[in-house]
Amino acid sequence: MSANKGKAFDKSMKLLMVGDSGVGKSCLLLRFVDDKFNATFITTIGIDFKIKTIDLDNTKIRLQIWDTAGQERFRTITTAYYRGAMGIIIVYDVCNQSSFDRVETWYKTVQEHAKEDAQVIIVGNKCDQEDLRVVSTQQGEQLAEKLGVPFIEASAKSGLNVSEVFYTLSRKIVESNGSLGDAPANEGNVDVKQNANSSSGSNCC
Protein backbone atom coordinates (compact mmCIF):
# COMPACT_ATOMS: atom_id res chain seq x y z
CA MET A 1 0.00 0.00 0.00
CA SER A 2 1.42 3.37 -0.97
CA ALA A 3 0.81 5.72 1.93
CA ASN A 4 1.39 8.90 -0.07
CA LYS A 5 -0.37 7.91 -3.29
CA GLY A 6 -1.81 11.07 -4.79
CA LYS A 7 -1.16 12.95 -1.54
CA ALA A 8 -4.28 11.40 -0.09
CA PHE A 9 -3.63 12.79 3.39
CA ASP A 10 -1.79 15.63 5.13
CA LYS A 11 -0.95 13.99 8.45
CA SER A 12 -0.81 10.49 9.86
CA MET A 13 -1.73 9.06 13.26
CA LYS A 14 -1.23 5.63 14.77
CA LEU A 15 -4.08 4.61 17.09
CA LEU A 16 -4.32 1.49 19.23
CA MET A 17 -7.43 -0.28 20.53
CA VAL A 18 -7.07 -2.31 23.74
CA GLY A 19 -9.41 -3.99 26.21
CA ASP A 20 -10.60 -7.40 27.28
CA SER A 21 -11.50 -10.03 24.70
CA GLY A 22 -15.10 -9.83 23.48
CA VAL A 23 -15.79 -6.19 24.37
CA GLY A 24 -16.24 -5.30 20.69
CA LYS A 25 -12.98 -3.63 19.65
CA SER A 26 -13.01 -5.25 16.20
CA CYS A 27 -16.68 -4.43 15.72
CA LEU A 28 -16.14 -0.78 16.61
CA LEU A 29 -13.30 -0.63 14.11
CA LEU A 30 -15.33 -2.36 11.40
CA ARG A 31 -18.24 0.04 11.96
CA PHE A 32 -15.98 3.08 11.81
CA VAL A 33 -13.95 2.09 8.75
CA ASP A 34 -16.49 0.13 6.67
CA ASP A 35 -19.80 1.11 8.31
CA LYS A 36 -20.61 -2.57 8.81
CA PHE A 37 -21.60 -4.71 11.76
CA ASN A 38 -21.06 -8.43 12.21
CA ALA A 39 -22.58 -9.97 15.34
CA THR A 40 -20.40 -13.06 15.00
CA PHE A 41 -17.11 -11.30 14.29
CA ILE A 42 -14.17 -13.63 14.86
CA THR A 43 -11.79 -13.06 17.73
CA THR A 44 -8.67 -11.09 16.84
CA ILE A 45 -5.56 -13.25 17.04
CA GLY A 46 -2.51 -11.16 17.90
CA ILE A 47 -2.95 -7.93 15.94
CA ASP A 48 -4.86 -6.50 12.99
CA PHE A 49 -5.20 -3.03 11.56
CA LYS A 50 -7.27 -0.87 9.25
CA ILE A 51 -6.68 2.52 7.69
CA LYS A 52 -9.14 5.34 7.25
CA THR A 53 -8.59 8.95 6.20
CA ILE A 54 -10.73 11.55 7.94
CA ASP A 55 -11.17 15.28 7.46
CA LEU A 56 -10.47 17.02 10.76
CA ASP A 57 -10.78 20.79 10.71
CA ASN A 58 -9.88 20.91 6.99
CA THR A 59 -6.86 18.65 7.46
CA LYS A 60 -6.87 15.17 5.91
CA ILE A 61 -5.55 12.76 8.53
CA ARG A 62 -4.75 9.14 7.83
CA LEU A 63 -5.69 7.03 10.85
CA GLN A 64 -3.79 3.78 11.10
CA ILE A 65 -5.83 1.89 13.70
CA TRP A 66 -4.38 -1.21 15.33
CA ASP A 67 -6.82 -3.71 16.83
CA THR A 68 -5.21 -5.85 19.52
CA ALA A 69 -6.19 -9.21 20.98
CA GLY A 70 -7.58 -9.05 24.51
CA GLN A 71 -6.50 -12.59 25.45
CA GLU A 72 -3.69 -12.90 27.97
CA ARG A 73 -1.67 -15.24 25.76
CA PHE A 74 -1.23 -12.51 23.14
CA ARG A 75 -0.28 -9.76 25.59
CA THR A 76 3.46 -9.99 24.87
CA ILE A 77 2.76 -9.61 21.15
CA THR A 78 0.44 -6.65 21.47
CA THR A 79 2.48 -4.64 23.98
CA ALA A 80 5.06 -4.06 21.23
CA TYR A 81 2.44 -2.01 19.39
CA TYR A 82 2.14 0.57 22.16
CA ARG A 83 5.41 2.02 20.91
CA GLY A 84 4.72 4.91 18.57
CA ALA A 85 0.97 4.99 19.26
CA MET A 86 -0.28 8.57 19.42
CA GLY A 87 -3.70 7.62 20.74
CA ILE A 88 -5.08 4.64 22.64
CA ILE A 89 -8.71 3.56 22.94
CA ILE A 90 -9.51 1.47 26.02
CA VAL A 91 -12.76 -0.40 25.38
CA TYR A 92 -15.03 -2.16 27.85
CA ASP A 93 -18.46 -3.74 27.55
CA VAL A 94 -21.23 -2.01 29.52
CA CYS A 95 -22.85 -5.45 29.87
CA ASN A 96 -19.72 -7.02 31.37
CA GLN A 97 -18.65 -5.87 34.83
CA SER A 98 -15.25 -7.59 34.74
CA SER A 99 -14.29 -5.83 31.50
CA PHE A 100 -15.04 -2.51 33.21
CA ASP A 101 -13.15 -3.52 36.36
CA ARG A 102 -10.06 -4.16 34.23
CA VAL A 103 -10.03 -0.72 32.59
CA GLU A 104 -7.64 0.61 35.22
CA THR A 105 -5.33 -2.36 34.61
CA TRP A 106 -5.34 -1.58 30.89
CA TYR A 107 -4.67 2.07 31.70
CA LYS A 108 -1.64 1.09 33.81
CA THR A 109 -0.36 -1.03 30.90
CA VAL A 110 -0.73 1.98 28.63
CA GLN A 111 1.26 4.09 31.08
CA GLU A 112 4.00 1.46 31.18
CA HIS A 113 4.38 0.83 27.45
CA ALA A 114 3.06 3.86 25.54
CA LYS A 115 4.75 7.17 24.83
CA GLU A 116 4.43 9.71 27.61
CA ASP A 117 2.40 12.05 25.39
CA ALA A 118 0.03 9.37 24.04
CA GLN A 119 -3.60 10.41 24.38
CA VAL A 120 -6.16 8.01 25.89
CA ILE A 121 -9.93 7.71 25.66
CA ILE A 122 -12.22 5.24 27.46
CA VAL A 123 -15.13 3.76 25.51
CA GLY A 124 -18.09 1.87 26.93
CA ASN A 125 -19.33 -0.28 24.04
CA LYS A 126 -22.74 -1.97 23.53
CA CYS A 127 -24.70 0.91 25.07
CA ASP A 128 -27.65 -0.11 22.86
CA GLN A 129 -28.22 -3.16 25.11
CA GLU A 130 -29.88 -1.32 27.98
CA ASP A 131 -31.68 -4.45 29.19
CA LEU A 132 -28.33 -6.19 29.71
CA ARG A 133 -26.39 -3.20 31.06
CA VAL A 134 -24.55 -3.68 34.36
CA VAL A 135 -22.19 -0.67 34.21
CA SER A 136 -23.91 2.70 34.39
CA THR A 137 -22.94 5.72 32.33
CA GLN A 138 -22.16 7.53 35.59
CA GLN A 139 -19.67 4.82 36.59
CA GLY A 140 -17.88 5.22 33.27
CA GLU A 141 -17.80 8.99 33.61
CA GLN A 142 -16.47 8.79 37.17
CA LEU A 143 -13.67 6.41 36.18
CA ALA A 144 -12.66 8.55 33.23
CA GLU A 145 -12.65 11.64 35.45
CA LYS A 146 -10.46 9.79 37.97
CA LEU A 147 -7.97 8.88 35.23
CA GLY A 148 -8.19 12.32 33.61
CA VAL A 149 -9.25 11.10 30.16
CA PRO A 150 -12.31 11.56 27.92
CA PHE A 151 -15.19 9.08 28.04
CA ILE A 152 -17.74 8.09 25.41
CA GLU A 153 -20.38 5.38 25.33
CA ALA A 154 -20.89 3.87 21.90
CA SER A 155 -22.58 1.04 20.04
CA ALA A 156 -20.87 -0.81 17.23
CA LYS A 157 -24.24 -2.41 16.45
CA SER A 158 -26.21 0.81 15.96
CA GLY A 159 -23.27 3.02 15.07
CA LEU A 160 -24.05 5.44 17.89
CA ASN A 161 -21.05 7.65 18.76
CA VAL A 162 -18.57 5.38 16.95
CA SER A 163 -17.18 8.14 14.74
CA GLU A 164 -17.14 10.49 17.73
CA VAL A 165 -14.69 8.17 19.49
CA PHE A 166 -12.09 8.42 16.74
CA TYR A 167 -12.66 12.10 15.99
CA THR A 168 -12.45 13.06 19.68
CA LEU A 169 -9.20 11.16 20.15
CA SER A 170 -7.73 12.54 16.91
CA ARG A 171 -8.57 16.08 17.95
CA LYS A 172 -6.91 15.55 21.35
CA ILE A 173 -3.77 14.32 19.59
CA VAL A 174 -3.71 17.40 17.34
CA GLU A 175 -4.21 19.70 20.33
CA SER A 176 -1.42 18.07 22.33
CA ASN A 177 0.96 17.34 19.49
CA GLY A 178 0.53 20.14 17.01
CA SER A 179 2.79 18.69 14.33
CA LEU A 180 2.05 15.19 13.09
CA GLY A 181 4.24 13.01 10.93
CA ASP A 182 4.00 9.79 9.01
CA ALA A 183 3.80 6.51 10.92
CA PRO A 184 5.45 3.42 9.41
CA ALA A 185 2.93 0.71 8.64
CA ASN A 186 4.72 -2.03 10.59
CA GLU A 187 6.03 -0.18 13.62
CA GLY A 188 6.69 -2.60 16.45
CA ASN A 189 8.40 -5.17 14.22
CA VAL A 190 5.75 -7.85 14.62
CA ASP A 191 4.64 -9.89 11.61
CA VAL A 192 1.16 -8.48 10.98
CA LYS A 193 0.07 -11.13 8.49
CA GLN A 194 1.17 -13.97 10.71
CA ASN A 195 -0.70 -12.69 13.75
CA ALA A 196 -3.72 -11.00 12.17
CA ASN A 197 -7.32 -12.16 12.43
CA SER A 198 -7.57 -15.91 12.73
CA SER A 199 -10.84 -17.63 13.49
CA SER A 200 -11.85 -18.83 16.92
CA GLY A 201 -15.57 -18.13 16.56
CA SER A 202 -16.13 -15.77 19.48
CA ASN A 203 -18.99 -13.30 19.54
CA CYS A 204 -17.36 -9.88 19.37
CA CYS A 205 -20.34 -7.65 19.97
Side-chain angles (χ1 to χ4, degrees):
M1 182 179 297
S2 176
N4 292 293
K5 184 179 180 181
K7 189 59 177 174
F9 59 91
D10 303 306
K11 306 292 183 182
S12 178
M13 294 180 185
K14 175 183 174 182
L15 308 182
L16 192 68
M17 302 183 73
V18 301
D20 281 8
S21 181
V23 297
K25 300 184 295 296
S26 298
C27 290
L28 285 168
L29 183 54
L30 184 68
R31 172 63 78 183
F32 176 61
V33 175
D34 299 325
D35 196 21
K36 295 178 181 178
F37 175 76
N38 185 348
T40 56
F41 205 93
I42 58 176
T43 299
T44 301
I45 303 300
I47 199 88
D48 191 17
F49 79 98
K50 289 182 179 292
I51 292 175
K52 180 168 182 172
T53 300
I54 65 172
D55 192 321
L56 187 69
D57 302 328
N58 296 318
T59 300
K60 289 191 179 299
I61 300 176
R62 185 190 68 166
L63 301 181
Q64 183 188 97
I65 311 162
W66 296 83
D67 174 22
T68 66
Q71 301 99 320
E72 189 68 38
R73 66 185 182 277
F74 296 116
R75 202 61 50 79
T76 55
I77 297 174
T78 58
T79 51
Y81 281 84
Y82 286 94
R83 296 195 298 269
M86 294 178 173
I88 297 170
I89 303 165
I90 302 176
V91 185
Y92 71 90
D93 176 355
V94 301
C95 307
N96 183 325
Q97 183 68 45
S98 64
S99 72
F100 176 73
D101 293 341
R102 281 182 48 79
V103 167
E104 286 194 73
T105 300
W106 283 107
Y107 184 77
K108 289 176 183 176
T109 302
V110 169
Q111 299 302 300
E112 290 172 4
H113 297 284
K115 296 192 303 181
E116 188 175 342
D117 60 349
Q119 301 299 307
V120 178
I121 188 170
I122 294 174
V123 177
N125 189 30
K126 309 185 188 180
C127 67
D128 59 288
Q129 300 184 27
E130 284 296 333
D131 54 332
L132 299 176
R133 177 193 285 270
V134 295
V135 181
S136 69
T137 302
Q138 185 179 26
Q139 286 176 287
E141 291 172 340
Q142 289 173 343
L143 178 58
E145 184 176 357
K146 174 184 174 182
L147 299 178
V149 300
F151 168 73
I152 293 178
E153 283 194 341
S155 167
K157 184 175 182 179
S158 71
L160 178 67
N161 289 341
V162 173
S163 290
E164 282 77 358
V165 169
F166 294 91
Y167 275 84
T168 297
L169 182 57
S170 299
R171 185 166 279 109
K172 274 187 64 67
I173 293 170
V174 170
E175 291 171 354
S176 68
N177 214 323
S179 177
L180 300 173
D182 235 353
N186 200 23
E187 186 164 356
N189 298 320
V190 178
D191 187 340
V192 177
K193 293 180 181 177
Q194 180 178 346
N195 296 303
N197 269 352
S198 222
S199 172
S200 70
S202 174
N203 189 327
C204 152
C205 300

